[in-house]
Structure formats: C-alpha cells, structure tokens
C-alpha cells in the first residue's frame, strides 16, 4: 500500500522543517506555497541557527548573515550586544526551498484558495484552478492561515515596516523603546535599510494610508538611534508595509487529519524575538505527532494532547517573556501601549522557583522514537509538562524512591556519571541530603 500523502500548506521555516521531518519518516509530502509578498529582515539568535541545523535546513542556515552588533536602548539605558544574526527573508525563504529540493520534497508554487473534505481526504484548491487530494494537512501558512475563533489574543498590535537603499556599509541593528511603542531597525552590508515601528492598533494616532511614508520618515528623524545607524538616508519618505503583530493562540491546533505549526499554531509578539525559533520548535515535534495520528489512530487523543499542551505552554512562556520586557521599561508605564502590555497575559512569573516538595509523578504523553507514547514523568513547578529522562535515566522511579525515603538505594544502582547528573538535578530542585 502507498504511504499516506501529506500536504504542507506554506513554505516558511515551520512548513519546510515539518516537510523534511515527514520525508525522513517515509511519507510522500507536497509543500504548497506562494512567496511572501514583501521583503523584510528579521533578527534571530544563535539557537535558531542550531535549530535550522538540527532539522536539516542547511541552505537556510548558510543564508544567515554573520553576527552583527546590536544596540539596545530600553528604559533609558544603552547596551551594545554582539549576538544578532540577521535573516534577509527573501534570501532565507529561497534557501528554504532549495533545502526542500535537495531533500527531494515536491513543491507546488501557487496560492491556496480553498480547503474542503472529500470522503476521508482533504481537498486543496489553488487559485489557478488546480486541485489536490491529501490524506493529512499541515497548516503552516503563518499569520495568513485562516483562523477560527482566537482562543487567546494579546493587545491588538500593528507594525509598520519601511525599507530603502543606502550606500553599502557596516551591518548592524538596534532596538529602542518609544513613548507609544518600540522600533527595530537593521542595516545590511549591501546598503539595504529596514526600520519597523510597532504600535498599539487602537491607541496609535496614524494619518491616512497615503501619508504613512511621511509619518514614518518624521518618526525616524526624531530618533538619535536611527540617525546613528542609518545617517541622513533615513530621513526621506520610503514605502511602508503595515501588518498585524498581535499575539494569537488559536483554540485548537491539532485534530484527526490536520495539525497547525509555526505562526499558524501560535503567533508571538515580535518583541520576544522568538518567532522563527518557535516555528522550528513546533516543527520538531509535529512529524512524530502526525506519524502517531496516521499509524496509531488509537492514540489520537494522546498525540493531540501532546501537541496542544506544548504549543500552549510555549505560547504562554513567550507571552510572559514579552510582558517582562515591557515591564522593564517604566518611563511610560501609564501610556496606553505600555499599560496594556505590562499586564498581559497574566501576573504569573516566567519561571517558578524549584520546590522539592512539589515534585509529582504523573502519566503524560512523551515523544518516543518517532511516535507519541505515554510514560511516567516528573512534573516540577517550572516544567509542568514533565521531564521523562535526564541523561538517559528515567526520573520517575528516582522521585518515587525519594518520596518513599529510599533515595540512597536508587542512586546507588546508577553508574557514577549518571548518579552525579541525577544528584545535580535533585539539588537544583531544592533537595538537601
Ligand atoms: P511564515 O514564515 O509566515 O511562512 C508562511 C508561508 O505560507 C509563506 O511562504 C507564505 O507566502 C505562505 N502562504 C501564506 N498564505 C498562503 C496561501 N493562501 N497560499 C499559499 N501560500 C501561502 N521572528 C524572529 O525570529 N525575529 C524577528 O525579528 C521577527 N520579526 C517579526 C516582525 C513582525 C512585524 C512580525 C509580524 C513577525 C516577526 N517575526 C520575527 C516572526 C516570524 O516572521 C515568524 O514567526 C515566522 O516567519 C513564522 O514562520 P512560519 O513558517 O510559521 O510562517
């Protein structure tokens, strides 16, 4: 029998990473995508590059610019960091497609117009009239993926992006807080310049659309940081692309026959600088979830729970990271933009202190050899989804022994290197012999 046919909608980092993972598992994969309709530059950290390497997106990895200096002006304090990696998105997106081609994944270029059910299969209709049938759908169209009712939405946020060409020079980037929002900017070595301002969609006092280029130019003229990075070239009006950057978590991110990954599963506030990272994170786990849904339908609930819980957990972590950045800027705490974001999504701390008394053993879905399985894991205050193994040692039996007063015997049964690792972990959890 032929392997099921899987259609991945969207060739961004999430869709491409999932497609490669599925291809490795032996599935027949189509990626269906159009090109992004605007050019942008995005800043990522070294761990994104590690993620690209891990999922096998080598051409995309090679397209990242070398590390560039990044200036941060936040809460009136200036910092110079050296860890920003700039992704020129048109180059990066083209490299992602070369990675697909190198792996032999079929890419269909076109705009998806409609999805529908046909018997057991999903029908995908493209704008040019082509129509395809797939056994499983991976929704990876980013923020453009049709959204049912949003389960959780952050304060409505708008980003305006301007780009222009200047003389070639040194690459660099900068971020600064403003009374009504924040801006991020990057200069590439070939002279292309990008500046993006992020504002509250309701509170921002914006002119009519055709006056946005002049409005943005005036905002740039008022910034010493902009002048330092770009010089006079920033002062002329340049075309503006407006897009939403509201944080959104859809109600359901997986079901029988379909899954959402990347921004389609959770779109985070760009301030957290984690968009591409989270796309790769959700894409790393998705092939195992899909494999389980297709090969072990009896585990459907377990596999869905795994994906849903992890997406929700990651979303809340990034939402709280964003909230803490906003709270770290006290100067305009009462202005509409800052007030709404200092209190969202909640008041819970990003990390909860370790507490040995709160360790619990529970049965949870885990990723095991390309499938979702169920196993006993240890839940901690900071890791509510549980930890299964540490350095190859299952933690649940260790914690059970600790709780039964037999820790010494359980540790004695481990090899010396594993014993030291487990003892180190217990000490971090607050255990005191
Ligand atoms: P995308 O990269 O959006 O890919 C989706 C793909 O689907 C695209 O190729 C698109 O053309 C295609 N597609 C969409 N609709 C259709 C359709 N109907 N038919 C066919 N194809 C379709 N992240 C960072 O890490 N660093 C940053 O500095 C950063 N800055 C950001 C600034 C802003 C203002 C915003 C909004 C986001 C920013 N992000 C940043 C987030 C980052 O862009 C996303 O998290 C990331 O690109 C998501 O990847 P994805 O694969 O899920 O979706």
């Amino acid at each position: 029998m032929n392997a099921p046919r899987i259609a991945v909608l969207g060739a961004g980092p999430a869709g491409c990473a999932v497609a490669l993972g599925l291809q490795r598992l032996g599935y027949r994969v189509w990626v269906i995508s159009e090109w992004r309709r605007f050019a942008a530059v995005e800043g990522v950290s070294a761990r994104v590059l590690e993620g690209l390497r891990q999922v096998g997106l080598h051409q995309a990895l090679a397209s990242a610019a070398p590390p560039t200096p990044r200036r941060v002006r936040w809460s009136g304090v200036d910092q110079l960091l050296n860890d920003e990696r700039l992704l020129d998105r048109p180059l990066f997106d083209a490299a992602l497609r070369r990675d697909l081609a190198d792996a032999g994944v079929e890419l269909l270029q076109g705009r998806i117009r409609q999805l529908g059910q046909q018997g057991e299969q999903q029908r995908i209709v493209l704008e040019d009239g082509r129509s395809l049938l797939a056994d499983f759908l991976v929704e990876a169209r980013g923020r453009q993926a049709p959204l049912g009712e949003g389960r959780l939405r952050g304060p409505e946020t708008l980003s305006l992006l301007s780009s222009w060409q200047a003389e070639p020079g040194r690459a660099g980037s900068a971020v600064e807080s403003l009374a009504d929002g924040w801006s991020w900017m990057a200069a590439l070595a070939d002279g292309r310049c990008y500046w993006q301002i992020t504002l509250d969609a309701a509170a921002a006092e914006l002119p009519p659309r055709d006056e946005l280029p002049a409005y943005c130019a005036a905002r740039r003229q008022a910034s010493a940081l902009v002048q330092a990075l770009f010089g006079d070239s920033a002062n002329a009006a340049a075309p503006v692309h407006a897009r939403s950057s509201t944080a959104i978590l859809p109600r359901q991110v997986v079901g029988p026959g379909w899954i959402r990954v990347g921004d389609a599963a959770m779109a985070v506030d760009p301030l957290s600088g984690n968009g591409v990272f989270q796309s790769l994170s959700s894409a790393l786990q998705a092939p195992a979830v899909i494999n389980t849904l297709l090969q072990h339908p009896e585990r459907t609930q377990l596999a869905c729970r795994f994906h849903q819980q992890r997406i929700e957990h990651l979303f809340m972590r990034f939402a709280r990271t964003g909230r803490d950045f906003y709270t770290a800027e006290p100067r305009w705490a009462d202005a509409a933009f800052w007030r709404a974001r200092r209190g969202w999504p909640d008041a819970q701390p990003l990390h909860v202190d370790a507490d040995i008394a709160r360790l619990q053993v529970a049965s949870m879905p885990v990723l095991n050899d390309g499938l979702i399985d169920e196993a006993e894991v240890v839940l901690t205050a900071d890791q509510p989804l549980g930890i299964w193994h540490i350095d190859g040692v299952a933690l649940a039996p260790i914690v059970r022994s600790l709780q039964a007063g037999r820790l010494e015997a359980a540790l004695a049964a481990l090899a010396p290197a594993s014993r030291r690792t487990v003892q180190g972990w217990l000490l971090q959890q607050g255990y005191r012999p």
Side-chain angles (χ1 to χ4, degrees):
M1 202 182 91
N2 278 340
R5 176 61 103 167
I6 301 178
V8 177
L9 316 181
C16 293
V18 175
L20 292 193
L22 290 169
Q23 171 102 344
R24 263 181 236 122
L25 288 172
Y27 288 102
R28 297 179 302 153
V29 186
W30 279 313
V31 176
I32 308 160
S33 189
E34 62 173 355
W35 290 99
R36 266 160 74 108
R37 292 181 174 198
F38 60 98
V41 167
E42 290 176 348
V44 297
S45 61
R47 67 180 179 164
V48 168
L49 304 191
E50 176 49 30
L52 292 171
R53 199 190 54 73
Q54 222 178 318
V55 297
L57 291 168
H58 300 294
Q59 305 258 10
L61 170 64
S63 75
T68 50
R70 176 163 59 118
R71 288 184 69 175
V72 178
R73 186 168 287 178
W74 205 260
S75 69
V77 178
D78 262 320
Q79 275 181 291
L80 185 63
L81 308 168
N82 279 312
D83 60 349
E84 182 109 271
R85 303 293 300 250
L86 297 176
L87 296 181
D88 179 349
R89 279 302 299 247
L91 275 187
F92 178 71
D93 289 350
L96 287 171
R97 290 173 182 223
R98 288 200 301 279
D99 279 316
L100 291 182
D102 290 351
V105 175
E106 203 178 330
L107 175 79
L108 300 175
Q109 169 68 33
R111 180 166 178 78
I112 298 150
R113 198 185 67 209
Q114 208 184 344
L115 303 176
Q117 194 85 22
Q118 183 166 324
E120 296 278 284
Q121 291 185 301
Q122 317 272 354
R123 177 171 290 284
I124 304 140
V125 182
L126 274 67
E127 211 152 70
D128 59 15
R130 278 178 293 172
S131 145
L132 311 157
L133 282 176
D135 302 296
F136 195 97
L137 276 192
V138 179
E139 175 56 91
R141 280 179 286 172
R143 285 177 174 270
Q144 285 159 271
L147 195 65
E149 211 180 299
R151 172 172 181 192
L152 199 53
R153 266 185 103 92
E156 294 299 323
T157 308
L158 176 74
S159 295
L160 304 175
L161 173 70
S162 288
S163 59
W164 64 96
Q165 182 70 46
E167 292 299 317
R170 280 189 52 191
S173 68
V175 61
E176 73 177 327
S177 51
L178 304 164
D180 56 350
W182 56 280
S183 71
W184 183 82
M185 57 205 90
L188 299 182
D190 65 6
R192 273 176 299 150
C193 300
Y194 292 84
W195 173 87
Q196 175 183 284
I197 189 165
T198 296
L199 304 164
D200 187 279
E205 287 169 16
L206 291 174
R209 184 170 273 271
D210 60 340
E211 291 171 26
L212 282 177
Y215 167 84
C216 289
R219 297 290 309 240
R220 290 196 292 275
Q221 281 164 30
S223 160
L225 201 57
V226 169
Q227 300 301 316
L229 185 67
F230 302 118
D232 288 347
S233 79
N235 297 340
V240 173
H241 178 82
R243 54 178 168 151
S244 162
S245 47
T246 306
I248 302 173
L249 176 70
R251 185 175 297 278
Q252 203 187 339
V253 293
V254 60
W258 63 275
I259 193 168
R260 297 176 82 103
V261 294
D263 272 15
M266 51 171 282
V268 296
D269 185 324
L271 183 63
S272 72
N274 274 316
V276 176
F277 176 75
Q278 71 79 9
S279 304
L280 294 174
S281 309
S282 62
L284 272 171
Q285 72 194 35
V289 175
I290 298 165
N291 199 23
T292 310
L293 293 173
L294 290 170
Q295 304 303 332
H296 293 275
E298 76 284 0
R299 292 194 212 163
T300 295
Q301 228 189 347
L302 190 72
C304 290
R305 201 169 126 215
F306 179 88
H307 190 64
Q308 187 81 30
Q309 282 182 334
R310 270 165 180 71
I311 292 290
E312 288 176 6
H313 180 71
L314 205 59
F315 180 84
M316 292 307 284
R317 220 175 73 201
F318 290 147
R320 292 182 186 129
T321 304
R323 175 203 63 197
D324 292 352
F325 281 138
Y326 290 120
T327 309
E329 171 50 277
R331 290 178 295 171
W332 304 291
D334 291 331
F337 177 89
W338 298 92
R339 203 174 49 239
R341 287 158 183 80
R342 290 164 73 91
W344 187 85
D346 55 27
Q348 277 188 39
L350 181 57
H351 291 293
V352 184
D353 287 343
D355 181 355
I356 194 83
R358 285 183 58 192
L359 293 187
Q360 270 180 52
V361 173
S363 198
M364 295 286 275
V366 293
L367 206 156
N368 185 14
D369 201 14
L371 287 168
I372 305 304
D373 216 336
E374 190 161 21
E376 286 210 316
V377 300
V378 175
L379 313 188
T380 72
D382 209 35
Q383 301 269 358
L385 300 183
I387 310 166
W388 188 17
H389 288 111
I390 180 165
D391 241 9
V393 179
L395 278 183
I398 303 280
V399 169
R400 281 202 193 287
S401 304
L402 169 75
Q403 290 170 344
R406 293 194 307 267
L407 180 64
E408 288 306 315
L411 290 177
L414 299 177
S418 300
R419 190 184 316 138
R420 277 194 296 278
T421 307
V422 171
Q423 278 170 329
W425 179 80
L426 285 168
L427 289 172
Q428 278 171 14
Q429 300 309 310
Y431 171 68
R432 297 292 171 264

